[in-house]
Amino acid sequence: MTTRRQFLRDSGAFTATLASGATLIAFAEAQAEDGNKSRKVRWGMLIDVANCPEGCSTCVSACSNENGWGDTGNPLTDAQWIRKVAVTDPQSKLRRSLPVMCQHCAEPPCVDVCPTGASFKRADGIVLVDKHICIGCRYCMMACPYKARSFIHEPLQNQKPHAPRGKGTVESCTLCVHRVDGGRLPACVEACAAAGHNAMLFGDLNDPETEISKRVAQHPVRKIRADLGIDPGVSYENL
Amino acid sequence: MKRTVYRELDLSPGFLLVLGLLGLIAAAGLGAAWYMEHYGHIVTGMNNQVVWGLPHVFAIFLIVAASGALNVASLASVFNRTMYKPMARLSGLLAISLLAGGLAVLVLDLGRPDRLIVAMTHFNFKSIFAWNIFLYTGFFVIVAAYLFTQMGRGFGRFIRPAGWVAFVWRLALTTGTGSIFGWLVAREAYDAAIMAPLFIAMSLSFGLAVFILFTGRSCALSGREFGQDLLLRLGRLLGLFIAAVLYFTAVQHLTALYAAEHHDIESFILFGDSIYTTLFWTGQVLIGGVVPLILVTLPTHGVSRVAIKLACALVIVGGFVQVYVIVIGGQVYPLALFPGMEVRSSFQDGVIAGYQPSLPEFLLGIGGVALALAIAAIGMKSLRFLPESLADEAVDPQRVPRTGAVT
Ligand code: SF4
Ligand code: SF4
């Protein structure tokens, strides 16, 4: 296993092309087959924590640029769609750093509790907030175990047309649905690969042939708070 | 049996003054809501960790008290306690008013209060929140119908069935409110089935305390009598409910202490050095529980009138603190992303969050209280809710006048 990881790390750039190429083919397949309703796609992510250095926040800036959220100088109320979390084992002092965002749960509590249905899960597993019917009750924020959601506390400027946001509503990682629907990778995944880390892998979890499915099947992966039984779509390797 | 005579309140200067004051406070609340809506919730103390703030504390307190305010009516119509019958109308009116005040606060604290109509037209039936919308609307309709059977001519035979429906509905309503918290699996402080019965006990206690004070004040301000025995009886009933709240609070925390995954949050609330520990022991347990319990059981004649009213006030204060500890205390504690690990991030992971209630939040909340009282006052002015007398002889003609100490 070490040798494989070593290999992946050493040949970072090469793997990046290969990985995204493979994923792109998977997209085409998935969409075609979805058209026939023969197989359901479930988009998910695998994060290799061993490849995620502590000081790096490339994915966070990429998401912030892509979707137009960011630091306005109010750390307590600013939205954070994705964040780097440092986890330390109090005994061994072993430290890990990993990105945490909406885990696009298969049984999302945020969807169950939403009174209006604004918080919803698409057929392909992506969990979104419909900004037109969100009343800003924040019940989904109370229900999410990952603190994945942010409430917009202030009027906004400079919004991105593909990621509409609005004061008084709740938002979270969309898994870059606007890119995914166009056959592209989420911004964080792309940026992580471009930076040479390749810590994030995106793909269809329901297709046994995708790289993500194979890696999830062959390696010991962990999901955060797997005990809650809500089946997150994001898995972590080497945690 | 003597017929109870009900009479509207007079349009006295005193009444107008009280109503004007309530109107002013309610208007300030509305202004605060507008301010929060215009500038966004940034002007409140709420943040991405503490997403429900002081307005929710007010709203939940009012909603919980609303269903409890119906106690007296239920005792009269469902459990056939004649003594409480003259107050049944008032009990229904107060229940509706408190609920209206609470809901107003809840709605005005939404991120998008302008989308209320969306909430009324889009339902997710899996959401306990959506169910609560039905429970609340239903409560208005049912209690209104119940009042109608009492106040309209010739509907007397429907009082009992209507009282039953209202009684069952209000238990459902409180269960629903408690379940809003009970269903949050991710929040260690709330993930417990005990929340529903705890909320029912809280509603009985807070609701009755509000009712006693409200009725007492209304009688005093309109120059009507409020019998000593009646007050003592209501006080003893209140004692029972206070004990129930204390009991369920104990069960809530003891069961949580035994569940390993809740251990940290429990020590945070019970034995920590934060404001929530002080609020819990001093506010909720001592001021809201132990002291009023002693006050209502003190068998000293003479001072007991004051003692009971003081007990009611303490139950209200302590109850408010209790809701605060549940709502805010439960949220400031960080989510356990990785149980047993030390966690840090730029998004306040792993740290106890701060929450400083702001003036607009307080004004919105207290505005809701004022709105509730104003609705009740206008109700008593326009329709016959308040009996001409609540003197002991009037409510219970067969009574044997007591002498000496009250047991
Ligand atoms: S991570 Fe949170 S917001 Fe995302 S789907 Fe799961 S519960 Fe919902
Ligand atoms: S804040 Fe919006 S998305 Fe979240 S539960 Fe409320 S209405 Fe639904």
Side-chain angles (χ1 to χ4, degrees), chain A residues 110 113-119 129 133-141 149 169-170:
Chain A
C110 62
V113 300
C114 176
T116 64
S119 183
V129 177
I133 55 173
C134 171
I135 55 174
C137 68
R138 284 104 73 200
Y139 196 19
C140 56
M141 299 178 78
R149 291 209 160 158
T169 61
V170 161

Side-chain angles (χ1 to χ4, degrees), chain B residues 9 24-25 28 59 62 66 80 85 109 161 164 168 204 211 226 235 254 271 280 284 296-297 338 341 377 383 405:
Chain B
L9 292 183
L24 228 74
I25 301 173
L62 285 170
N80 222 2
K85 279 199 175 142
D109 180 53
W164 263 106
V168 172
L204 294 172
F211 179 82
F226 190 14
L254 285 176
F271 317 113
F280 176 79
Q284 177 181 337
V296 293
T297 41
F338 300 94
M341 298 283 179
L383 294 167

Side-chain angles (χ1 to χ4, degrees), chain A residues 76-77 136-144 147-153 170, chain B residues 36 41 44-57 106 109-111 181 184 187 190 327-333 335 347 353-355 361:
Chain A
L76 291 176
T77 48
C137 68
R138 284 104 73 200
Y139 196 19
C140 56
M141 299 178 78
M142 292 288 276
C144 172
K147 208 186 167 192
R149 291 209 160 158
S150 306
F151 180 68
I152 308 185
H153 290 78
V170 161
Chain B
M36 282 162 56
H41 275 60
T44 71
M46 292 175 241
N47 51 53
N48 279 324
Q49 175 69 32
V50 180
V51 301
W52 288 352
L54 197 57
H56 268 81
V57 177
L106 207 60
D109 180 53
L110 290 176
F181 294 97
L184 297 172
R187 303 265 176 177
Y190 304 137
V327 175
I328 313 288
Q331 285 180 88
V332 294
Y333 198 77
L335 288 165
F347 208 40
Y355 170 71
E361 286 171 85

Side-chain angles (χ1 to χ4, degrees), chain A residues 76 78 80 83 86 88 111-115 131 134-139 142 147 151 153 167 225, chain B residues 37-38 41-42 48-49 51-52 109 111-112 115 124 126-128 180 187 336 342 344 346-347 349:
Chain A
L76 291 176
D78 281 341
Q80 292 201 23
R83 62 193 192 270
T88 315
V111 171
D112 287 349
V113 300
C114 176
K131 299 291 159 47
C134 171
I135 55 174
C137 68
R138 284 104 73 200
Y139 196 19
M142 292 288 276
K147 208 186 167 192
F151 180 68
H153 290 78
K167 182 190 74 183
R225 292 306 305 266
Chain B
E37 160 77 346
H38 185 77
H41 275 60
I42 185 94
N48 279 324
Q49 175 69 32
V51 301
W52 288 352
D109 180 53
R112 296 294 306 258
R115 287 188 180 163
N124 166 21
K126 270 186 106 173
S127 168
I128 187 84
I180 287 182
R187 303 265 176 177
E342 283 163 12
R344 282 288 176 274
S346 58
F347 208 40
D349 284 292

